[in-house]
Amino acid sequence: MDEAAMIRETINIPFAIAFLAVEDWNKELSPWQAPAVFGKQDFGAGAEEMLKSIEAILPALKSHCALAENAPVILGGYSLAALFSLWSAYESTSFDAIAAASPSVWFPGWLDYAKTHAPKAGIIYLSLGDREDKTRNPVMRTVSTCIEEQHALLQDAGIKTTLTWNPGNHFQHPEQRCAKAFIWCLEQLLLY
């Protein structure tokens, strides 16, 4: 079952989903330049441009889907897209909730950034696979510690947040993990 179908099965209110294609994840979703952590491709600094593009299309998306101008918006993704979504929570007031499934919080300099900035979204979902830190890569091995620190920062900032641990490594069931993230965010918005 795909992500949208899983959400529809669980949530009984009208909602719209927009999926955005990304051609170069390392460039378009990275908040700043950083050296490669795996492989040979360094991380670019295209997140600001991507965020501006998303903010620019939000009014048209709401209009096309017949949503009110003040309809809540959830931004989310998986892996580096989840880190981009989390970063967007600190940079923009356009999003009411963030669905960050297995975010790349190991990203060089991320926790330093998160410690010195305040999130603007009031609802943030975090998750991680319970085996994601079982890797030979020394940077990736820090992901569990990093996600716990990120969660604590959000709690300290008074953000409505949760940290869900999923069975498996980073590559297992990304669609289901994303669906869980969006469902939780939608449920929290319904409680507001």
Side-chain angles (χ1 to χ4, degrees):
M1 179 181 311
D2 74 5
E3 194 174 323
M6 290 176 67
I7 297 168
R8 270 194 305 274
E9 246 183 40
T10 306
I11 299 297
N12 251 352
I13 61 166
F15 63 90
I17 297 177
F19 292 93
L20 303 173
V22 176
E23 291 183 30
D24 185 344
W25 277 53
N26 281 9
K27 178 183 176 208
E28 295 175 59
L29 299 176
S30 299
W32 47 80
Q33 294 199 324
V37 171
F38 50 88
K40 296 179 181 172
Q41 184 183 7
D42 289 341
F43 294 99
E48 186 175 338
E49 185 176 325
M50 177 65 75
L51 177 57
K52 287 179 183 176
S53 298
I54 292 170
E55 289 176 320
I57 64 170
L58 279 177
L61 280 172
K62 287 183 178 185
S63 175
H64 177 75
C65 296
L67 298 172
E69 281 184 36
N70 66 345
V73 176
I74 302 169
L75 181 65
Y78 196 82
S79 193
L80 193 55
L83 180 73
F84 166 79
S85 300
L86 195 53
W87 171 81
S88 296
Y90 288 86
E91 294 291 318
S92 174
T93 59
S94 296
F95 311 106
D96 300 278
I98 301 296
S102 291
S104 302
V105 290
W106 49 260
F107 192 86
W110 172 254
L111 285 175
D112 291 334
Y113 170 87
K115 289 174 187 172
T116 59
H117 292 77
K120 296 173 172 82
I123 298 169
I124 299 179
Y125 175 97
L126 300 171
S127 72
L128 202 65
D130 61 6
R131 299 200 44 81
E132 288 195 43
D133 61 359
K134 309 297 185 244
T135 176
R136 283 180 248 176
N137 185 302
V139 175
M140 304 291 222
R141 268 199 309 259
T142 67
V143 71
S144 292
T145 303
C146 292
I147 197 79
E148 288 172 347
E149 189 169 345
Q150 175 66 63
H151 186 238
L153 290 169
L154 294 173
Q155 288 176 317
D156 291 346
I159 303 300
K160 185 170 194 123
T161 186
T162 190
L163 172 55
T164 301
W165 292 92
N166 296 296
N169 65 33
H170 186 68
F171 302 101
Q172 293 177 299
H173 313 293
E175 294 86 6
Q176 291 90 342
R177 291 180 186 185
C178 282
K180 281 173 54 175
F182 281 101
I183 289 166
W184 185 85
C185 288
L186 284 163
E187 289 172 343
Q188 303 315 304
L189 287 169
L190 288 172
L191 296 175
Y192 263 27

